[in-house]
Amino acid sequence: NDNASNLILTPAGKDLLLLDGPVYRLRSQVSTLMDRLAPPWAAAVVQGRKAFTQYAPLEVVQCFREAGILDSTDEDVIAWWDTIAARYRQERDIARMQTGRKGERLSYHYEHNRTGKPPYWISLEYAGVGYDLKSQLATDCTDPLLVEVKASAESWPNARFHLTRNEWEVLSGEQYAVVHLWSLANLPCDHAVIPIAEMTPHIPTNQGGGAWETVECPFSAFAPGTNVEVTGPG
């Protein structure tokens, strides 16, 4: 307000008044509040509208309904949802990338401590090569050991990881390869070293004209803290 106690619109308020009617203004306000407050329910928009209503508080669902974005299939409504969902998908992908890097760093130190030699952190230099680190078999054996790292912010019973077909083909084609699993939910972190041969029962097969690209597997299929001898896939 000014010195005469008159209310003065902010630039954002003026932009809001330019929108065509109260419904569009409410949509804009909802979007702005989600951006600024980042409420925990907001990420549920990536699950779809009906799923969102099961996560969000009732008063939030009511605001969405009044904004006309829960039931309509108009192009502008779909565009609104897609824009919001894309934003949160990007944030989720960033969070996953950060979790993955934390796991890679833990594996880097693990291998360095195990062998006395720093491994080659190849995923920092090249993407999509099928593994994250190139270590060596033992302190006194320089045979290469490929390490694919999978990390999760979830606890071990709830954590899951994805292995791509490219990763499987690269790792299973090597004499020595392992998958490192890290659960970052607790400290110290739960960890397992899985020889690539032990992944075989969890790998799907192609049938007919279909070809698998990614397999999802629970951490709970393997015991944390496993200390196993590294062996090849054969």
Side-chain angles (χ1 to χ4, degrees):
N1 57 24
D2 58 14
N3 293 332
S5 297
N6 296 315
L7 293 177
I8 300 175
L9 284 174
T10 63
K14 293 178 181 178
D15 291 339
L16 202 61
L17 287 179
L18 295 176
L19 297 177
D20 188 17
V23 168
Y24 288 93
R25 293 168 191 159
L26 183 54
R27 290 177 192 174
S28 177
Q29 288 175 303
V30 167
S31 178
T32 299
L33 288 173
M34 290 173 68
D35 284 345
R36 293 184 179 178
L37 300 179
W41 48 260
V45 298
V46 302
Q47 303 296 329
R49 296 194 299 190
K50 294 299 182 184
F52 170 80
T53 62
Q54 298 172 9
Y55 289 98
L58 292 178
E59 59 272 19
V60 172
V61 174
Q62 181 63 30
C63 288
F64 274 61
R65 183 167 286 111
E66 292 178 3
I69 48 182
L70 281 185
D71 303 305
S72 172
T73 56
D74 291 347
E75 288 188 13
D76 57 340
V77 171
I78 295 175
W80 188 92
W81 276 97
D82 287 345
T83 299
I84 297 295
R87 187 182 308 153
Y88 282 93
R89 284 193 183 97
Q90 183 180 37
E91 291 179 2
R92 182 179 61 185
D93 290 344
I94 291 173
R96 286 176 176 173
M97 182 185 69
Q98 292 172 339
T99 297
R101 287 300 192 202
K102 289 178 182 178
E104 290 173 12
R105 182 170 293 280
L106 287 170
S107 288
Y108 179 91
H109 291 307
Y110 178 90
E111 288 298 312
H112 193 178
N113 291 334
R114 186 182 67 83
T115 67
K117 301 286 182 63
Y120 178 30
W121 196 340
I122 194 169
S123 62
L124 284 178
E125 313 299 339
Y126 303 99
V129 296
Y131 60 98
D132 296 307
L133 305 173
K134 179 181 282 188
S135 186
Q136 64 184 52
L137 196 58
T139 302
D140 56 354
C141 179
T142 59
D143 289 352
L145 171 70
L146 303 189
V147 180
E148 173 61 23
V149 183
K150 302 297 182 184
S152 174
E154 299 288 341
S155 62
W156 199 272
N158 299 321
R160 307 184 73 82
F161 68 95
H162 294 85
L163 192 75
T164 68
R165 183 176 179 178
N166 177 60
E167 290 167 347
W168 168 250
E169 290 180 347
V170 170
L171 296 170
S172 62
E174 290 293 315
Q175 184 176 8
Y176 303 111
V178 295
V179 176
H180 280 194
L181 301 182
W182 294 96
S183 169
L184 309 182
N186 301 305
L187 292 176
C189 301
D190 289 325
H191 175 229
V193 178
I194 313 301
I196 196 62
E198 293 190 14
M199 284 296 306
T200 303
H202 308 281
I203 300 300
T205 57
N206 299 331
Q207 296 189 50
W212 75 276
E213 292 296 331
T214 304
V215 62
E216 182 183 73
C217 189
F219 276 40
S220 59
F222 309 95
T226 303
N227 186 9
V228 298
E229 182 180 355
V230 177
T231 59

